[in-house]
Amino acid sequence: MILSAPARTHPTKPPSMPGRPRSRSGWGPVLILLGLLGCHGPATASTSCSATMTDVAFGTVDPHGGNVDVQATINYSCTITSILSSSRVRMCFSIGVGSSGLGHLTPRRMISGANAMAFQLYKDAGRSLIWATRFNSEGSVGVDLEVGALLGSATNSGSLTVYGRVPAGQSTLVPGSYSNTFGGPHTELVYQYNEFLLGLLGFPASCTGGGNGSGASTFPFVASAGVQKQCSPAFATPNIDFGTQGLLRTPVATTTILSPRCTNTTPYQIGLDNGQHASGNTRRMQSATGDHVSYELYRDASHSLRWGNTQNVDTVSGTGTGAAQDLTVHGRIREQTTPAAGSYSDTVTVTIYY
């Protein structure tokens, strides 16, 4: 009897190729893939953020008007340059006192020479939350932003509104151009980011810590406003009332008060015309029947300086303080032939020059 065993065959090993390592297991590529899927840190990634801000332009401010409210915009963006990476960024935007500040935020100020105008910047439209820095109790403004790139780079962006106000009640403002420059030291964007590759990392704990990268930038701007020389056209001009008189055998005198209000340091002059019924330079009141009573208006209580309408000659001069200023008009009816009984009146135009 002849016994025979089946022949065993062995796979032929392929010849080794120079410079090409051979895998000792068929699981090698899978293990490498699993290793990539569990990796959080990007092989090559770079996150950078920047911001710009429009100027806070209040325009012309009326010292006797109400609040002046405007808005400005901060535009920000973050860019990541990578392959299959993402970045989660936590940012803080701080605004300080500016180059014209006095070291405090309440109020902020703009200056024109030696003169100052109060203003404020807020986080909210109701203008109740002051926009400050991360070092102040009022605090900065924070933003979270996520950006990812498949190949090359990607950018994500957004914007914030800054609410400005010049408050009312600054009646003593001096005319001029006011400004405050918020340069590099007075604005700050700081940020932390977490970059990750095909994994998942949350946002950093804060804008100053807890990320695997960080950065800083600035967003300069200028706050500005103007005050023009002005005098209120609606200042008080009460009537001059000579009362009821009989025979005009003796002079009749009375006074009234004009109350012009001009911006602080603004020089002005007040002129009075001759009225509607004058004869030459003699002012007259007239009745319904066309009769007249002569009278005059003076700058002084002794009735020696006639109040006219020629600048630098017979007007009254003053310098504004921002408040109403009382000027006395002295009226006098001289003795004269008494006309027929009736109601006599005249209309005098008051002009303020400034």
Side-chain angles (χ1 to χ4, degrees), residues 196-235:
F196 50 92
L197 176 62
L198 298 178
L200 183 63
L201 287 177
F203 285 95
S206 72
C207 59
T208 57
N212 57 30
S214 64
S217 183
T218 63
F219 46 98
F221 68 94
V222 175
S224 64
V227 175
Q228 296 180 348
K229 293 181 179 180
Q230 63 172 308
C231 294
S232 172
F235 60 84

Side-chain angles (χ1 to χ4, degrees), residues 6-26:
R8 295 183 179 178
T9 60
H10 298 278
T12 302
K13 296 182 179 179
S16 299
M17 296 180 65
R20 180 176 178 181
R22 292 175 296 166
S23 172
R24 292 186 294 175
S25 170

Side-chain angles (χ1 to χ4, degrees), residues 268-272 298-299 307-308 310 314-318 327-328:
Y268 65 87
Q269 295 185 47
I270 301 289
L272 306 179
Y298 299 91
R299 294 169 276 162
W307 195 329
T310 303
D314 56 6
T315 56
V316 172
S317 300
L327 302 176
T328 302

Side-chain angles (χ1 to χ4, degrees), residues 142 145 157 170 185 235 257 259 276 295 318 349:
L145 191 68
S157 61
Q170 301 185 69
F235 60 84
I257 301 294
S259 300
Q276 293 180 327
Y295 74 101
T349 299

Side-chain angles (χ1 to χ4, degrees), residues 34-311:
L34 290 177
L36 288 175
L37 290 176
C39 180
H40 288 296
T44 57
S46 176
T47 299
S48 62
C49 300
S50 63
T52 61
M53 180 170 165
T54 60
D55 289 336
V56 183
F58 290 99
T60 300
V61 172
D62 181 356
H64 306 121
N67 297 329
V68 179
D69 292 340
V70 298
Q71 297 180 10
T73 302
I74 296 175
N75 294 300
Y76 59 86
S77 65
C78 293
T79 299
I80 183 171
T81 302
S82 69
I83 299 175
L84 299 177
S85 295
S86 294
S87 183
R88 285 181 170 169
V89 188
R90 182 152 286 172
M91 296 177 279
C92 288
F93 296 84
S94 294
I95 301 177
V97 299
S99 62
S100 302
L102 292 176
H104 56 78
L105 293 169
T106 51
R108 286 180 164 101
R109 69 175 202 157
M110 295 174 280
I111 62 171
S112 174
N115 305 303
M117 176 190 297
F119 79 105
Q120 196 52 271
L121 301 175
Y122 297 93
K123 306 172 186 177
D124 62 318
R127 290 169 172 79
S128 61
L129 302 174
I130 294 175
W131 194 316
T133 74
R134 57 192 176 93
F135 302 107
N136 301 110
S137 58
E138 294 89 348
S140 58
V141 173
V143 172
D144 289 343
L145 191 68
E146 184 170 352
V147 57
L150 293 176
L151 296 173
S153 67
T155 299
N156 198 3
S157 61
S159 64
L160 293 168
T161 300
V162 182
Y163 300 90
R165 168 171 286 178
V166 172
Q170 301 185 69
S171 61
T172 60
L173 285 172
V174 174
S177 297
Y178 292 77
S179 65
N180 188 348
T181 300
F182 290 77
H186 308 288
T187 65
E188 179 193 59
L189 162 60
V190 294
Y191 56 94
Q192 288 276 321
Y193 56 84
N194 276 328
E195 293 178 341
F196 50 92
L197 176 62
L198 298 178
L200 183 63
L201 287 177
F203 285 95
S206 72
C207 59
T208 57
N212 57 30
S214 64
S217 183
T218 63
F219 46 98
F221 68 94
V222 175
S224 64
V227 175
Q228 296 180 348
K229 293 181 179 180
Q230 63 172 308
C231 294
S232 172
F235 60 84
T237 54
N239 293 331
I240 297 177
D241 187 359
F242 289 101
T244 300
Q245 305 296 328
L247 297 175
L248 300 179
R249 293 178 177 176
T250 58
V252 179
T254 189
T255 61
T256 192
I257 301 294
L258 301 180
S259 300
R261 184 177 64 181
C262 297
T263 45
N264 196 7
T265 73
T266 298
Y268 65 87
Q269 295 185 47
I270 301 289
L272 306 179
D273 75 358
N274 286 337
Q276 293 180 327
H277 309 295
S279 176
N281 280 334
T282 300
R283 292 182 170 101
R284 299 188 305 174
M285 292 177 282
Q286 181 173 290
S287 68
T289 58
D291 294 317
H292 298 92
V293 172
S294 298
Y295 74 101
E296 200 50 83
L297 303 174
Y298 299 91
R299 294 169 276 162
D300 63 325
S302 61
H303 306 115
S304 61
L305 300 173
R306 184 179 187 274
W307 195 329
N309 200 30
T310 303
Q311 294 184 65

